[in-house]
Amino acid sequence: MAKNEPRDELLNHDFDGIQEYDNQLPGWWKNLFYLTIVFAVIYLLYFHVFSVGDLQKVSYLKDIDPDYVPSPQDQEGAVFDAYRAPVYAASEQRTPFDRAQANAEAYERFEQNMLEAMRNADAAQLARLQEDFPAIFEAYTAQGGRLPAGVAAAEAEAATISEPITDAAILAGAKDLFGQHCATCHGDAGQGGIGPNLTDEYWLHGAKIANVVRVIQKGIPAKGMIAWEKTLSPDEINAMASFVLVELQGSNPPNPKAPEGDKVSE
Amino acid sequence: MEVEKFRYDNQIVRLFFFATVFWGIIGFIAGLTAALELPFPWVNFSAATTFGRLRPVHTNAVIFAFVGNGIFLGYYYSIQRLLKTRNYSDLLSRIHFWGWQLIIVAAAITLFAGFTTSKEYAELEWPIDIAIAVIWVVWGWNMIGTILRRRERHMYVAIWFYISTFVTVAVLHIVNSFEIPVTFMKSYSLYAGVQDALVQWWYGHNAVAFFLTTPYLGLMYYFVPKAANRPIYSYKLSIIHFWALIFIYIWAGPHHLLYSATPEWAQSLGTVFSIMLIAPSWGGMLNGLLTLRGAWDTVRKDPVLKFLVVAITAYGMATFEGPMLSIKGVNALSHFTDWTIAHVHVGALGWNGFLTFGMIYWVVPRLWKTKLYSIKLANWHFWIGTLGILFYVIPMYWSGITQGLMWKQFTPDGLLQYPNFLETVLQLIPMHIMRAIGGTLYIIGAVMMIYNLFKTARAGSFMADEEAEAPPLRAQIEHDDKTYWGHRWLESRPIRFTILAVVAILIGSAIGNLPMFVVESNIPTIASVKPYTPLELEGRDIYIREGCVGCHSQLIRPFRNETERYGTYSKAGEYVYDHPFLWGSKRTGPDLWRVGRKYPDAWHYNHMYDPTSMSPGSIMPPYPWHIENDLDYSNIEAKISALRSIGVPYPEGYEQQARADLRKQAEGIAQGLDAAGIRTAWNKEIIALTAYLQRLGTDIRAD
């Protein structure tokens, strides 16, 4: 369109010798502007009016758990509550917000039924329910529900070891990890510092391999021991606990920290 | 037609020129020093020069001292000539100049001394805030007076931008600076947590818009056509992009808070208004670059035009990148990393710096009625400066993307690949050294400019008052029987124009901020969140004083990698007693929002004394003075009353118990440290700081 129009027509403007043309706005520039406005409208409709797009809480929960089904309270902030509430209060009954809530209530009833079914199921049924409804099954186990036969045994086996590992290569690897993660508080030779001495026979939280594994996994938050289960893999934690019991115990390093806890001798 | 004779005031232009160059060099050196502190922590040699305190010195010096004086230099030169009149009042011009310089000196002293509100680009304490408001109004008064005394019927587009700068910065500065004074140099932000964050980034983003952009567009509209001797490409485009720019810009602030605890309607407004800002911003770039049609031949030879062309190009790049960084997916990677630092330096070094240099090279020979001493040297400055920008921004993009990706990397087992934050920091050291080299090149260029201009001034003779003549406005109106309508009409009605500009910027300001204050549901309250204890409050004030927020965020974003690394993501209701909010904008160190009770007190004691003892290789500077300094809690009563007056629910009369409570909690911590083999008195700064750090983010913990 701009092609046929006269270009570079000088206006009768003169500011300290600066003149002005009155050229048409470049077509691509105008289209870009329109396009961004359309984008803005669609974006707001997508996330806040029709609630198609996931807002941050829902997208976070989906990232944590691929089976997650959004519930209305997780969509908080989806609508322009601040603007809409006073204006459209009368038609509140028909807003998508209420429909979503109804859906969620239905889902919740369904979930309750399934939990009840899981509690009453035999091992084979339970395994099938787990396969079909993993999210609900997780809620079921979180409430202390029993696991299908076989699965429980396998998980228990993977989680702990009953005896310390003595493999030299694994212990050497654990020694490196100890230097990286543990030495700042427990001393480079395990002699203690901010944290307790790991080389003496005194224990605050139990001297068995399972006790040590648990302390490393979950930490002792009240005293500043960090939970390592998000940093170290289960194998690394097993190796680390073994390193403490096999290598550090009885190593008598210089400058030991005074004993804490109860004496345990085996 | 009768003609009046009058004289332009060049003296005020010269004053602002000296100030621009002087503060420019100071600001650049502060930046270089801060840059060197990251790869070489020993550069943080004293309390006043630690990174946390130096960073705001650098940002304030560059924004308000270098660019600020640059604005006024170009403004005073151009407005007199565009309006064919001397400034309204020479006295107001002088008060403006000296007042502004005094504010800068006061800012430098107080920031080095640790007096800070911690709100970015608004760090100055309340007495200086008041001085800024007064001096800003002096400038505006002088501007409006000059416009009303003009001998040019219509206001040129540069003046539209000057007007919008004046009114908007006044609104932003005043609203964001509402704070309750405790003592002469200590105050608490009136707003808390999420509200404070939204107000601050409405301000912070629009400080970029209306301090670093609109006045410089005004300068561009004067100096580009002057230097190129070409007409402006399109008057129509000027009108459309001016109004679109100031109307849309003001909404975009929340894009600094994507994936945060702010309500998502605000975040989405930030995103969509940033996207809609691309075309209005590019309108300015187009009008600048297309004005040069037919003058590209001159660009090859003329260093002034070279600087201006790179400045406008940098503006175009930065204003495209900004909207891209406002898209959620991009922001998820870029936020809190060096990417942001790269982005702002394209604007600061390229757009503001180079436009200032181009303008100065053009103005100085005219003030001293001579020719530039050496075109060749100016060309050298141009190339070294350009190289400096590239050496600065490319490593910083590299560094930002590297760190962003490292934070997010999981192993196949579902564990963080780099669980130790420090690992992701040490990875960036070569890039940080390279950007320091880039900054050095940039400074070398600026020093060459100073030499060149010194020689130029020496060769010429300064013209303090420049003779000019023009017919009076009255005679022009009588002579011109045309009636104007539309925008042309508005351009001859400065007061109505100014009011319309205020309306344009108030719409987005109101819709973006007011719901946070009037609608309760936007900040769900959490019953377990309690105000800080007196000791924690004192510790928080130390945290603010040391500028910890410059490197440590207190905002965990709702991403799996962040909750794995730090803990549960941040909820709006956790911050309701945070006056001011301390979310930060950059993670040079890890987030601290869930650091409370993560480590024992002894860990913090040792870490503050020497960070490398607890975190080998750490680049955090040691803070041994916190272990030696006595805690000054003499104002604790005033602090409690001040906070209560702005809504923190300390019980009536709690002031009388505050000291005893403070001491009791401090003694408890000292005893605990004693048990861990560390002997310290209870009344040391480290005790308060530890108490604060151990409180962070623990209010919603289950245990």
Side-chain angles (χ1 to χ4, degrees):
Chain A
M1 73 185 164
K3 297 241 159 47
N4 301 326
E5 284 174 20
R7 281 169 60 83
D8 291 356
E9 263 189 295
L10 273 178
L11 291 165
N12 183 26
H13 296 183
D14 182 340
F15 300 98
D16 193 32
I18 299 173
Q19 294 179 292
E20 291 186 294
Y21 289 132
D22 198 21
N23 282 313
Q24 286 300 329
L25 310 174
W28 65 267
W29 181 85
K30 270 201 289 193
N31 291 334
L32 175 71
F33 199 5
Y34 295 147
L35 207 67
T36 58
I37 294 171
V38 171
F39 171 85
V41 172
I42 292 174
Y43 188 96
L44 293 179
L45 291 176
Y46 182 79
F47 282 106
H48 295 283
V49 178
F50 299 114
S51 296
V52 187
D54 291 336
L55 293 177
Q56 60 187 29
K57 186 170 181 184
V58 171
S59 66
Y60 169 73
L61 291 170
K62 282 189 176 168
D63 198 17
I64 296 292
D65 172 13
D67 297 320
Y68 167 77
V69 180
S71 72
Q73 62 268 33
D74 293 340
Q75 283 285 10
E76 65 192 14
V79 283
F80 281 90
D81 294 324
Y83 302 104
R84 212 172 59 163
V87 182
Y88 292 105
S91 57
E92 194 78 355
Q93 297 305 321
R94 297 204 171 267
T95 57
F97 180 84
D98 275 0
R99 282 212 297 277
Q101 194 169 20
N103 286 341
E105 278 161 14
Y107 177 78
E108 202 173 271
R109 278 196 300 278
F110 173 68
E111 192 182 14
Q112 293 304 329
N113 291 340
M114 294 316 284
L115 287 171
E116 183 64 20
M118 284 175 189
R119 279 191 284 275
N120 298 328
D122 63 38
Q125 287 169 329
L126 194 56
R128 213 169 48 241
L129 287 170
Q130 179 189 10
E131 202 179 309
D132 290 342
F133 306 102
I136 298 174
F137 186 79
E138 207 175 300
Y140 168 71
T141 50
Q143 293 167 7
R146 69 202 151 87
L147 298 170
V151 178
E155 276 196 6
E157 198 179 340
T160 52
I161 45 174
S162 53
E163 288 298 321
I165 303 165
T166 48
D167 182 289
I170 291 177
L171 291 178
K175 187 174 183 176
D176 288 345
L177 285 176
F178 186 89
Q180 274 176 42
H181 296 301
C182 319
T184 49
C185 288
H186 291 286
D188 46 10
Q191 76 274 23
I194 290 171
N197 186 340
L198 299 176
T199 62
D200 59 19
E201 296 173 302
Y202 292 83
W203 292 91
L204 288 160
H205 305 289
K208 296 234 174 352
I209 183 77
N211 303 134
V212 181
V213 165
R214 189 176 161 78
V215 168
I216 298 173
Q217 269 176 350
K218 306 289 176 193
I220 308 291
K223 291 186 178 172
M225 171 73 184
I226 299 166
W228 290 95
E229 61 188 349
K230 297 208 165 158
T231 311
L232 301 175
S233 68
D235 285 347
E236 284 172 330
I237 291 178
N238 286 339
M240 184 66 75
S242 307
F243 172 75
V244 170
L245 291 180
V246 177
E247 300 262 314
L248 292 182
Q249 276 289 297
S251 61
N252 288 322
N255 305 320
K257 194 180 179 193
E260 294 164 84
D262 305 323
K263 186 167 181 182
V264 180
S265 42
E266 290 178 44
Chain B
M1 225 191 312
E2 53 179 310
V3 167
E4 288 178 347
K5 287 187 185 304
F6 51 93
R7 293 185 304 171
Y8 296 136
D9 180 4
N10 280 348
Q11 202 119 39
I12 190 72
V13 181
R14 180 172 67 168
L15 283 172
F16 276 113
F17 156 64
F18 289 149
T20 306
V21 173
F22 177 75
W23 292 118
I25 293 292
I26 304 267
F28 300 160
I29 290 174
L32 179 61
T33 313
L36 289 171
E37 287 178 343
L38 299 185
F40 310 113
W42 58 266
V43 181
N44 293 277
F45 56 91
S46 72
T49 50
T50 44
F51 185 89
R53 294 204 197 169
L54 192 55
R55 181 185 178 273
V57 170
H58 164 60
T59 53
N60 279 278
V62 169
I63 297 171
F64 300 109
F66 171 59
V67 175
N69 280 307
I71 294 169
F72 303 134
L73 146 66
Y75 160 81
Y76 277 107
Y77 187 88
S78 61
I79 196 153
Q80 302 184 74
R81 287 158 178 84
L82 287 170
L83 297 176
K84 293 272 171 281
T85 180
R86 193 181 177 88
N87 292 310
Y88 168 69
S89 157
D90 283 3
L91 177 66
L92 288 180
S93 306
R94 289 333 177 257
I95 294 175
H96 177 204
F97 176 79
W98 289 109
W100 196 252
Q101 309 315 314
L102 272 177
I103 287 167
I104 294 169
V105 172
I109 294 171
T110 56
L111 289 175
F112 273 128
F115 298 108
T116 171
T117 67
S118 87
K119 293 174 71 162
E120 271 182 74
Y121 324 126
E123 287 93 347
L124 304 176
E125 266 299 350
W126 66 274
I128 307 177
D129 280 342
I130 294 174
I132 293 171
V134 170
I135 295 300
W136 196 259
V137 170
V138 165
W139 177 49
W141 178 12
N142 206 5
M143 182 197 298
I144 302 292
T146 307
I147 294 173
L148 295 178
R149 264 183 33 172
R150 69 196 184 280
R151 291 187 186 82
E152 182 70 65
R153 192 163 174 194
H154 299 278
M155 295 184 297
Y156 176 59
V157 49
I159 295 167
W160 315 344
F161 278 106
Y162 298 153
I163 291 174
S164 70
T165 300
F166 162 62
V167 296
T168 315
V169 172
V171 171
L172 292 166
H173 171 70
I174 291 171
V175 173
N176 189 46
S177 299
F178 279 135
E179 51 216 357
I180 181 103
V182 177
T183 62
F184 177 58
M185 283 308 280
K186 174 73 194 169
S187 65
Y188 292 117
S189 174
L190 177 66
Y191 319 106
V194 173
Q195 288 172 347
D196 200 35
L198 276 177
V199 173
Q200 158 60 25
W201 284 112
W202 164 76
Y203 164 88
H205 173 71
N206 289 298
V208 176
F210 290 88
F211 205 92
L212 299 175
T213 304
T214 54
Y216 266 56
L217 283 169
L219 301 181
M220 179 195 86
Y221 272 109
Y222 183 80
F223 290 100
V224 168
K226 282 300 241 186
N229 201 17
R230 297 276 311 158
I232 283 294
Y233 171 72
S234 170
Y235 167 66
K236 249 189 219 88
L237 185 58
S238 299
I239 297 173
I240 303 279
H241 104 90
F242 168 76
W243 288 104
L245 191 81
I246 68 165
F247 175 76
I248 294 176
Y249 234 129
I250 203 89
W251 296 70
H255 68 203
H256 291 255
L257 299 166
L258 296 184
Y259 287 113
S260 75
T262 43
E264 294 201 62
W265 59 263
Q267 297 185 28
S268 293
L269 285 182
T271 299
V272 300
F273 276 88
S274 303
I275 297 291
M276 286 190 283
L277 204 46
I278 299 175
S281 301
W282 275 11
M285 171 184 73
L286 287 178
N287 236 353
L289 289 181
L290 292 177
T291 295
L292 295 170
R293 287 172 318 153
W296 286 102
D297 200 40
T298 338
V299 174
R300 209 155 41 81
K301 287 172 287 189
D302 182 3
V304 170
L305 285 180
K306 277 208 210 48
F307 275 111
L308 297 180
V309 165
V310 169
I312 298 168
T313 312
Y315 174 65
M317 291 193 292
T319 54
F320 179 72
E321 188 190 10
M324 294 304 112
L325 293 174
S326 308
I327 292 172
K328 283 212 260 186
V330 182
N331 192 278
L333 178 68
S334 75
H335 193 56
F336 287 138
T337 74
D338 281 334
W339 192 338
T340 313
I341 316 298
H343 170 62
V344 299
H345 281 84
V346 170
L349 300 173
W351 164 240
N352 296 112
F354 267 35
L355 203 129
T356 308
F357 298 148
M359 174 175 78
I360 289 177
Y361 278 122
W362 191 85
V363 166
V364 166
R366 281 163 180 80
L367 292 183
W368 272 270
K369 285 196 297 182
T370 179
K371 290 242 174 301
L372 187 63
Y373 168 69
S374 167
I375 300 251
K376 201 172 163 186
L377 197 58
N379 276 323
W380 268 94
H381 173 198
F382 170 79
W383 288 111
I384 288 182
T386 306
L387 209 61
I389 296 177
L390 294 176
F391 260 92
Y392 188 105
V393 300
I394 293 171
M396 291 309 268
Y397 282 120
W398 193 290
S399 158
I401 293 169
T402 302
Q403 198 177 24
L405 291 172
M406 285 176 89
W407 287 345
K408 288 182 177 301
Q409 189 63 46
F410 279 94
T411 64
D413 296 340
L415 297 173
L416 289 169
Q417 173 97 50
Y418 305 100
N420 187 355
F421 187 92
L422 185 61
E423 213 177 330
T424 72
V425 176
L426 298 180
Q427 188 75 24
L428 313 177
I429 285 182
M431 275 79 94
H432 285 160
I433 293 174
M434 275 207 285
R435 72 102 173 244
I437 294 170
T440 308
L441 290 175
Y442 197 82
I443 297 176
I444 290 171
V447 171
M448 288 163 65
M449 175 186 76
I450 292 173
Y451 173 75
N452 202 351
L453 296 174
F454 175 73
K455 295 295 267 186
T456 306
R458 280 281 293 273
S461 67
F462 180 69
M463 185 173 33
D465 292 295
E466 192 175 329
E467 303 282 345
E469 55 177 46
L473 190 59
R474 169 176 36 81
Q476 291 182 40
I477 294 171
E478 281 164 14
H479 184 74
D480 184 358
D481 52 5
K482 244 168 99 180
T483 44
Y484 294 98
W485 55 278
H487 204 267
R488 200 69 186 143
W489 175 86
L490 190 63
E491 285 161 26
S492 57
R493 306 270 182 308
I495 300 297
R496 267 164 275 201
F497 189 101
T498 305
I499 292 170
L500 210 59
V502 173
V503 171
I505 61 115
L506 282 185
I507 294 173
S509 304
I511 297 178
N513 288 315
L514 285 182
M516 290 304 296
F517 295 91
V518 296
V519 182
E520 237 173 87
S521 72
N522 275 310
I523 306 176
T525 47
I526 302 172
S528 61
V529 175
K530 301 277 188 314
Y532 293 104
T533 68
L535 186 67
E536 290 157 4
L537 193 60
E538 291 293 355
R540 191 168 200 268
D541 286 340
I542 294 171
Y543 186 98
I544 291 171
R545 182 185 81 198
E546 299 302 342
C548 304
V549 71
C551 290
H552 294 283
S553 57
Q554 287 188 11
L555 177 80
I556 300 162
R557 307 173 90 193
F559 299 134
R560 180 169 151 236
N561 73 84
E562 299 224 347
T563 55
E564 287 288 304
R565 187 184 297 281
Y566 303 117
T568 319
Y569 66 85
S570 296
K571 312 292 186 300
E574 292 186 79
Y575 298 99
V576 289
Y577 305 127
D578 277 20
H579 296 269
F581 81 119
L582 291 171
W583 293 1
S585 61
K586 171 74 175 67
R587 282 182 189 150
T588 301
D591 189 276
L592 296 182
W593 186 239
R594 306 263 178 238
V595 82
R597 291 198 259 139
K598 180 174 178 184
Y599 304 106
D601 291 351
W603 188 94
H604 287 289
Y605 187 94
N606 289 330
H607 184 257
M608 213 52 77
Y609 183 73
D610 176 11
T612 58
S613 69
M614 292 292 101
S615 184
S618 169
I619 63 166
M620 174 168 148
Y623 285 86
W625 47 87
H626 289 158
I627 284 166
E628 292 145 22
N629 287 358
D630 285 347
L631 176 68
D632 174 11
Y633 56 97
S634 55
N635 296 314
I636 188 66
E637 291 88 356
K639 287 178 176 179
I640 299 280
S641 329
L643 286 171
R644 186 193 306 107
S645 71
I646 51 178
V648 181
Y650 291 111
E652 220 36 73
Y654 184 65
E655 287 87 338
Q656 276 69 50
Q657 300 156 23
R659 260 170 216 251
D661 281 5
L662 182 149
R663 179 164 183 164
K664 205 164 126 196
Q665 190 184 2
E667 284 176 343
I669 293 172
Q671 277 164 13
L673 286 172
D674 193 48
I678 296 169
R679 299 204 65 92
T680 173
W682 64 270
N683 60 339
K684 296 291 174 188
E685 288 185 346
I686 183 72
I687 304 281
L689 193 57
T690 303
Y692 173 61
L693 292 171
Q694 295 291 37
R695 171 71 187 274
L696 279 180
T698 54
D699 281 2
I700 62 167
R701 258 169 68 149
D703 56 347

